Amino acid sequence: MNPTSSSPIEAPPTTTDALRGVSRDKAGAPSPLTELSRIDAGLPPGCETVGLPVVWDAWTAGGPPVEQLAANYDLLTVDHADLGDAVAAGCLVPVDELVGAAALERWRAGAIGPAFAAYQRDGRAWAVPYHVSAQMSAVRADLTTAAPLPTTWDDVATSAVPLTVCLGGEHALLTLSALCLSEGERLGEGAEFVSREGGVRALERLAELVARSDPRLWHRGPRTVLEALAQGDGPVYCPLVPGCATATRSGRHPLAFGAPPAARGVLAGTGLAVSRRRAHDPLIREALRDHLVRLLADPVQCGLFPVTGAQPAARAAWADARAGRRWGGFYRATLDTVETAWILPNHPGFPAFQHTASELLRAALVEHRAPAAVVNDLNRLYRQGSCT
């Protein structure tokens, strides 16, 4: 099986000779998991470091919801915004039921920025941070010394650098959220997602950015946008896109990442959660614990993750200049951006709002709808679809 291709959900295994895991196919994300599985497969009997190995599948954006995946897999990666729905469905095992309080506190204290807190709900940790990222600015690395990059949205407005925004999938709402944060908004803390005044200003800014973006590109997802930046025959700068270490070495032109013009970007990445489907079995439960403990261990976080181009949860790995040398200093250059990233709400109903709101935003930008009317529609959707 190819671990980096999407695989259909099949019937769960009937033996305990292996755990079954599924990882989102984000750039670099599956690499440590599949590499650990490769190492496990090569160990002779009696030398195993975990009770049971894991066979990993991968799925892309737009795949099944967490509760459906949890019915067929033992370990699964989840976005922090999906936790409310998953917890409400009762399909996950809280991490604190598997590991001791000391280990949990050690992971929390050592995590970069809000990476650990993002997977908490109702006072419990429902996943551990696995692939950590945040919205950053991305630019062709060979252009970083030619002229200073924009540091504010006013700088972006007056800059002549060819740019594009990234509004594919859920990133339409994420980009608007970052623009709202730069206006001083406190998003999703009440009955409405954003105030009328702040939302209008952010939408006006977003419309200006779209008007300057390649019409073939602005509505696409991060992978397509980063590939286009690296080609060198179109836009060379994106002010808000999830940072990707491997993009510093891929494509015709390597990319460099840094702080976005916004005061804060939105936290991205995924966490690793445990499903309830077989966790009642003591052997499987112990093996699941072993995998979490190993994944968060310092040698894996500070060694294996950076080597494979994944983005670890441990702050120590991001602060280590040696860890990021292979990737153009990516980790050190973006550490502060991740540390200050904003966490999306994770209450039930938010994923549906995020999807519908992003579709609404893309349509409104194409149709040049009045920003005030769009903000009203966003807040109506938020009130209808979200349950705090």
Side-chain angles (χ1 to χ4, degrees):
M1 178 180 63
N2 180 357
T4 62
S5 62
S6 298
S7 303
I9 296 178
E10 303 167 355
T14 57
T15 65
T16 58
D17 59 345
L19 302 175
R20 199 166 182 218
V22 60
S23 168
R24 287 197 67 173
D25 187 19
K26 294 186 175 181
S31 302
L33 300 176
T34 53
E35 179 62 16
L36 287 171
S37 292
R38 187 192 67 80
I39 294 170
D40 290 340
L43 292 173
C47 296
E48 298 88 350
T49 60
V50 289
L52 296 170
V54 181
V55 176
W56 289 97
D57 292 342
W59 62 283
T60 56
V66 172
E67 54 267 32
Q68 185 177 343
L69 291 168
N72 294 281
Y73 291 97
D74 304 297
L75 288 164
L76 58 155
T77 56
V78 298
D79 289 352
H80 57 275
D82 293 337
L83 278 185
D85 286 350
V87 171
C91 62
L92 301 181
V93 178
V95 176
D96 52 80
E97 287 187 9
L98 297 171
V99 301
L104 207 62
E105 181 53 36
R106 184 171 65 253
W107 294 344
R108 181 185 292 108
I112 182 170
F116 196 94
Y119 299 97
Q120 293 185 300
R121 179 166 175 80
D122 301 329
R124 309 193 74 171
W126 294 93
V128 296
Y130 168 57
H131 180 72
V132 179
S133 187
Q135 286 177 317
M136 305 169 184
S137 64
V139 66
R140 268 178 42 188
D142 60 311
L143 302 179
T144 55
T145 58
L149 290 176
T151 57
T152 68
W153 287 116
D154 288 339
D155 290 342
V156 174
T158 58
S159 171
V161 64
L163 64 79
T164 187
V165 286
C166 175
L167 303 186
E170 72 272 22
H171 296 278
L173 183 67
L174 302 191
T175 297
L176 180 70
S177 295
L179 289 165
C180 289
L181 292 170
S182 70
E183 296 288 343
E185 288 293 301
R186 300 175 66 87
L187 300 175
E189 294 187 1
E192 296 187 336
F193 184 67
V194 63
S195 76
R196 179 184 177 89
E197 297 77 12
V200 166
R201 290 194 299 270
L203 275 164
E204 289 173 344
R205 179 81 74 182
L206 183 57
E208 293 172 357
L209 292 170
V210 168
R212 292 181 54 192
S213 297
D214 187 327
R216 300 166 300 177
L217 197 60
W218 65 263
H219 58 284
R220 305 298 296 274
R223 181 172 297 182
T224 301
V225 168
L226 293 178
E227 288 173 351
L229 296 184
Q231 284 303 307
D233 54 2
V236 299
Y237 171 68
C238 182
L240 286 168
V241 64
C244 175
T246 56
T248 63
R249 290 190 60 177
S250 60
R252 186 184 305 169
H253 297 279
L255 302 181
F257 293 85
R264 301 170 73 186
V266 179
L267 187 72
T270 58
L272 190 65
V274 174
S275 79
R276 286 197 177 276
R277 76 181 190 106
R278 295 198 297 168
H280 60 278
D281 184 313
L283 175 64
I284 291 177
R285 196 177 184 88
E286 182 68 13
L288 291 167
R289 186 198 70 83
D290 288 346
H291 281 283
L292 293 183
V293 170
R294 181 174 67 172
L295 191 73
L296 274 295
D298 288 344
V300 174
Q301 287 287 302
C302 297
L304 181 63
F305 268 72
V307 166
T308 59
Q311 295 167 207
R315 189 185 190 279
W318 290 74
D320 186 350
R322 296 168 300 174
R325 193 171 296 140
R326 177 182 177 89
W327 308 106
F330 172 85
Y331 302 111
R332 285 285 292 271
T334 61
L335 186 153
D336 289 343
T337 298
V338 178
E339 290 266 53
T340 59
W342 178 70
I343 304 174
L344 285 165
N346 64 8
H347 49 68
F350 190 82
F353 165 72
Q354 185 174 241
H355 173 77
T356 306
S358 291
E359 289 188 331
L360 169 69
L361 286 169
R362 285 189 291 271
L365 289 163
V366 170
E367 298 164 4
H368 305 289
R369 290 186 58 200
V374 178
V375 172
N376 288 340
D377 286 344
L378 284 175
N379 285 330
R380 175 180 52 79
L381 288 172
Y382 189 73
R383 290 192 298 271
Q384 291 175 348
S386 297
C387 175
T388 56

